[in-house]
Amino acid sequence: MDKRNLIEEAEKVLNNNFQKEGFTIPCEGLYPFQWKWDSGFIAIGYAYFDVAKSKKEITTLLDAQWENGFIPHIVFHTDSDTYFPGPDFHKSELHPQSSREFRSTGMTQPPITGFILEEMHRIVEDKEDMLSFVKSHIDRVYKNHEYFYGQRDPRNEGLVYIYHNWESGTDNSPMWDDIWKTMNPPEYEFERRDTTHVDPSQRPSKREYDHYLHIIEIAKNHNYDDKAIAETSPFLIQDPLFNAMLIKSNKSLINLYEVIGGHSNKIDQLRIWQRKSIRSFNEKLFNNELGAYVHYDLRNEKQISFVSSSSFAPLFAGIPDIDKAKVLVNTMLERFGGEDKYLCASFDPANERFNPKKYWRGPVWINLNWMLYYGLKKYGYDELAKRVKNDSVELIDKAGFHEYFDPRKNMYKNMEHGGYGGRNFSWSAALLIDLLKD
């Protein structure tokens, strides 16, 4: 399939997934609601061919923001029996400042909305119109950053915590396996909906879901109060992907406020957060032995010493200096970059926990590749960036607009199918458009 046909197919995927309520589902059946970081990536794709939908995606998400600045990871605009756990399980109304108009979860996802606004402004032709849109929404994104630094940074070190693996975006990563071993949640009685849409071998196990639900129950018992969660949750992580997205979005808000003019107090505050975050990020999350950024377990006061695609997200945010960037690139090539593999697997292929078919335990994800592509270009690794881009396009061309992809090249020979998870997946389509337009 040629470039033009791929773009047309990607546009069709997005349009087919757009809902009359003004948001785009990640894919039909498996994910029937609005997801926070999905909507951001989706808005990038729409910005190339339907600016109204691009704006609507962000507006609809921000309309569900809580009074304290929190933006939930799922907004339940509609009812659906194809997904568990739904609004009746999450009970966002337990928090006194939650939205009274929109039901949602009481957890969030990586804070990408700041840099999404800057990307939208970069892409569209009518800069004045988009700047007007940015002006009317940027303060709500700033308030979200205020929430993170005010409520999710108990040590005042510029690194925010996540209290649930779903907040990381990398739901069933092997990173969390050792944390599950410290817990013994009850056996919950529930009907899985995801495994009716996707091969169960590609999804988290029932016992993993018990852990997921147990953490939510703990948060609900404290009415989603951040201070109480920080004191009691067995899962309390400073995640390099999550914090890199916050740092990247800080910089984008600074850039946009400078274009808008005024707002010097907000710019000054963003710069204070930024300096503190980048310093702590490099001091606390870099593992010299592994040559990569890693997760930090706040509950057990230790690094989680595994390398994943999240380890390379700091390149996208401009966090490492030139020397650290070189170390990161070498680590990626040595562990992830064999000629028999597509870049970039979501977990270290040399590790025994690697699973090339199972969600975030090994497959390639287009959104992380998109970040890696731009991060590598930022540091001058143009040829490697080109490889990441070409690998991403080739995976979609061969397997279709899937949620995630097998990194092993031999899976795509003899008509083997290496695309997994949801089909006609929105952010795979949206970010492919951007990659092909760049």
Side-chain angles (χ1 to χ4, degrees), residues 41 44-45 48 115-116 118-120 122-123 245 248 312-320 325 329 332 366-382 384-390 392 430-438:
F41 293 126
I44 288 175
Y48 284 100
F115 74 73
I116 295 301
E118 188 176 29
E119 287 294 302
M120 291 164 66
R122 171 184 69 85
I123 293 165
M245 297 303 95
K248 176 69 172 176
F312 311 120
L315 292 167
F316 178 60
I319 293 168
V329 169
M332 182 181 64
I366 298 301
N367 64 328
L368 267 294
N369 268 16
W370 179 84
M371 294 176 204
L372 185 57
Y373 168 68
Y374 282 106
L376 289 167
K377 285 182 66 176
K378 183 190 298 285
Y379 286 88
Y381 293 96
D382 293 345
L384 187 54
K386 186 177 179 181
R387 176 181 167 186
V388 172
K389 173 180 176 175
N390 291 342
S392 303
L431 296 178
L432 178 84
I433 293 171
D434 182 76
L435 288 171
L436 291 176
K437 294 280 189 177
D438 184 64

Side-chain angles (χ1 to χ4, degrees), residues 259-275:
V259 174
I260 292 168
H263 301 282
S264 60
N265 290 340
K266 288 189 175 74
I267 292 173
D268 289 345
Q269 181 60 71
L270 284 160
R271 285 177 173 152
I272 291 169
W273 288 334
Q274 193 75 326
R275 285 193 295 270

Side-chain angles (χ1 to χ4, degrees), residues 329-357:
V329 169
N330 288 339
T331 299
M332 182 181 64
L333 287 173
E334 288 173 6
R335 291 177 175 268
F336 295 71
E339 292 184 3
D340 61 331
K341 297 181 186 69
Y342 290 108
L343 286 173
C344 176
S346 51
F347 191 72
D348 184 356
N351 190 280
E352 62 182 8
R353 298 184 184 186
F354 172 75
N355 184 325
K357 291 186 176 183

Side-chain angles (χ1 to χ4, degrees), residues 21 27 198 218 225 233 239 252 262 292 313 330 347 349 353:
E21 292 81 8
C27 68
V198 175
I218 292 170
D225 177 78
S233 177
D239 182 323
S252 291
N330 288 339
F347 191 72
R353 298 184 184 186

Side-chain angles (χ1 to χ4, degrees), residues 141 160 180 194 196 201 223 280 318 354 361 379 417 427 430:
V141 182
V160 305
W180 305 147
D194 57 327
T196 65
S201 70
N223 299 323
S280 294
F354 172 75
R361 301 184 74 88
Y379 286 88
H417 199 277
W427 81 28

Side-chain angles (χ1 to χ4, degrees), residues 17 36 90 94 158 204 293 310 325 332 357 430 436:
N17 286 339
K36 179 187 176 186
H90 285 282
L94 290 169
Y293 293 97
S310 298
M332 182 181 64
K357 291 186 176 183
L436 291 176

Side-chain angles (χ1 to χ4, degrees), residues 199-312:
D199 182 343
S201 70
Q202 300 170 21
R203 300 289 297 175
S205 68
K206 161 64 170 66
R207 189 57 180 155
E208 282 178 291
Y209 258 80
D210 288 336
H211 291 84
Y212 305 168
L213 300 180
H214 183 57
I215 300 170
I216 297 171
E217 292 287 12
I218 292 170
K220 285 160 59 178
N221 288 340
H222 296 290
N223 299 323
Y224 292 114
D225 177 78
D226 292 295
K227 184 178 180 181
I229 288 171
E231 292 171 352
T232 59
S233 177
F235 188 105
L236 207 70
I237 301 294
Q238 290 168 327
D239 182 323
L241 171 60
F242 195 99
N243 279 276
M245 297 303 95
L246 182 60
I247 289 168
K248 176 69 172 176
S249 285
N250 281 341
K251 178 59 176 170
S252 291
L253 293 184
I254 291 169
N255 294 342
L256 290 170
Y257 275 129
E258 287 179 338
V259 174
I260 292 168
H263 301 282
S264 60
N265 290 340
K266 288 189 175 74
I267 292 173
D268 289 345
Q269 181 60 71
L270 284 160
R271 285 177 173 152
I272 291 169
W273 288 334
Q274 193 75 326
R275 285 193 295 270
K276 184 189 296 184
S277 291
I278 292 174
R279 182 177 64 250
S280 294
F281 199 109
N282 280 309
E283 290 175 354
K284 192 172 186 179
L285 302 187
F286 195 78
N287 184 301
N288 286 305
E289 185 177 340
L290 291 174
Y293 293 97
V294 297
H295 299 68
Y296 189 87
D297 182 348
L298 267 179
R299 178 59 65 234
N300 298 294
E301 292 292 0
K302 62 179 182 179
Q303 287 187 341
I304 302 176
S305 298
F306 296 106
V307 185
S308 69
S309 54
S310 298
S311 300
F312 311 120

